[in-house]
Amino acid sequence: MYVGYKIVKTLSNNVVVTEKDDKLFVLLGKGIGFGKKKGDIISEDKGVEHKFIQINDKEKNVYEDILKSVDEEILALTEEVISLASEKLGEELNSHIHVGLADHINFAIKRIKEGIDIVNPFLYEIKTLYPIEYLIGEKTLELVREKLNVELPESEIGFIALHVYSARVNIAVADSLRNTKVVSEVVDFISRKLNIAIDGKSLEYSRLVSHLRYAIYRIENDKNLENMFLPSVKKQLEKEFQISKEVCRFIGEKLNKEVPEDEIGYIAVHIHRLLEKN
């Protein structure tokens, strides 16, 4: 049995994919891949100044397919982005991002080269809901431009942000996108109900969207947040409370869940702020 990590594939001078004890690891370190080829052994303490990232057994076979089908430069860039994201967030990301993000960036670059642009209608919501992840998305586009000489559209920032967020909380990207879509639809419903245009850059919008994000999580997971001001809200903001009831009925239909009265009260306060602003 060999001691250390056997190279499966060298992605760049700084990123290699290795195997040890029948498990896959991505190794990052300055110059770690320089002059290395498949089958070479890297000891745990030699040249690895950053980290060892294990690919979970569940993703191992899929990641091996990604290694065969995706360009090495794209894979290396993806691993650098994941490492950067982990550092910036101060936490490890779920292993599925190694597959999902590499596949996404690869497909995005392919679309651009074919002249196909994908619109992201939830960019404002994503930027407000996931600001740190959004910054990571912006940095990713910079790296793609610098290292691969490809200009990805702004819409990709949002999609990449969702991949990072999903890996933080260990949910599917589709679920993150669905919840973001629900938030967007609820904001649009409130805008139409109040007959006002809600400024996507305003503090009121930011507060509302942030509240809806956590409200959706609580409603879906049956975690009620007690509203100690509910009696006062129902009495002093009677009009807003009635509108909030309609809004929460709309949310309930979207989530197939009943919205607690405490949440209705919280959203009524946000409606009051929007009406005051306008």
Side-chain angles (χ1 to χ4, degrees):
M1 175 67 96
Y2 59 86
V3 178
Y5 295 78
K6 183 189 285 186
I7 292 179
V8 174
K9 193 165 191 174
T10 300
L11 302 182
S12 72
N13 286 341
N14 305 320
V15 186
V16 293
V17 180
T18 66
E19 188 178 37
K20 182 181 182 183
D21 300 332
D22 203 33
K23 296 182 184 298
L24 277 185
F25 293 84
V26 177
L27 273 56
L28 297 97
K30 192 172 181 181
I32 192 173
F34 182 74
K36 297 290 191 305
K37 60 184 183 299
K38 184 177 179 179
D40 285 352
I41 305 296
I42 296 177
S43 61
E44 192 162 341
D45 59 348
K46 188 176 181 181
V48 185
E49 55 183 49
H50 188 61
K51 64 170 73 174
F52 297 71
I53 306 168
Q54 183 182 343
I55 306 297
N56 287 353
D57 291 342
K58 194 167 69 172
E59 280 91 29
K60 183 184 173 187
N61 290 340
V62 186
Y63 192 72
E64 285 173 340
D65 289 339
I66 290 283
L67 288 176
K68 295 171 188 172
S69 60
V70 176
D71 188 85
E72 291 167 4
E73 286 184 318
I74 295 173
L75 286 170
L77 181 140
T78 301
E79 292 303 336
E80 287 180 35
V81 168
I82 294 168
S83 175
L84 180 150
S86 183
E87 280 182 20
K88 197 164 187 66
L89 295 166
E91 59 190 84
E92 291 300 319
L93 301 177
N94 187 281
S95 185
H96 68 65
I97 193 171
H98 296 274
V99 173
L101 188 58
D103 190 50
H104 178 84
I105 292 174
N106 182 56
F107 192 52
I109 290 171
K110 184 180 177 185
R111 285 199 310 264
I112 287 301
K113 288 180 176 177
E114 292 174 354
I116 304 168
D117 189 10
I118 302 296
V119 176
N120 188 336
F122 311 117
L123 212 55
Y124 266 132
E125 287 81 4
I126 293 169
K127 188 173 185 178
T128 304
L129 288 169
Y130 317 116
I132 301 175
E133 292 88 342
Y134 195 89
L135 288 173
I136 293 165
E138 288 181 324
K139 182 63 180 174
T140 302
L141 261 63
E142 285 179 27
L143 290 172
V144 169
R145 188 187 311 117
E146 291 168 9
K147 299 198 171 193
L148 305 180
N149 199 30
V150 175
E151 193 78 40
L152 291 179
E154 188 183 18
S155 60
E156 287 300 331
I157 298 173
F159 292 127
I160 291 164
L162 286 178
H163 274 278
V164 175
Y165 172 74
S166 299
R168 286 187 77 183
V169 298
N170 192 22
I171 63 173
V173 176
D175 290 336
S176 294
L177 186 59
R178 178 181 61 86
N179 288 348
T180 305
K181 184 172 183 283
V182 171
V183 168
S184 178
E185 289 173 342
V186 171
V187 171
D188 184 57
F189 183 87
I190 292 173
S191 177
R192 286 186 280 110
K193 202 71 197 166
L194 302 182
N195 196 28
I196 60 172
I198 301 175
D199 182 3
K201 296 179 180 178
S202 68
L203 179 60
E204 289 75 22
Y205 171 84
S206 181
R207 284 172 171 167
L208 174 63
V209 166
S210 295
H211 177 83
L212 288 172
R213 168 190 173 183
Y214 292 108
I216 287 169
Y217 170 80
R218 289 192 295 270
I219 293 163
E220 285 195 313
N221 293 277
D222 300 315
K223 295 179 182 291
N224 189 34
L225 181 64
E226 187 179 354
N227 189 341
M228 61 187 292
F229 302 109
L230 187 60
S232 299
V233 171
K234 291 172 78 171
K235 185 178 179 181
Q236 296 176 29
L237 305 178
E238 188 177 346
K239 175 188 173 185
E240 290 90 338
F241 191 80
Q242 291 306 314
I243 295 170
S244 183
K245 272 185 170 179
E246 293 184 53
V247 171
C248 289
R249 197 176 301 121
F250 178 80
I251 293 172
E253 288 170 1
K254 290 288 176 185
L255 302 179
N256 199 26
K257 287 269 192 177
E258 188 174 343
V259 180
E261 198 173 44
D262 295 281
E263 293 289 357
I264 297 172
Y266 282 122
I267 292 172
V269 173
H270 286 282
I271 291 170
H272 175 69
R273 285 173 176 162
L274 288 168
L275 288 171
E276 274 196 328
K277 177 75 174 178
N278 285 271

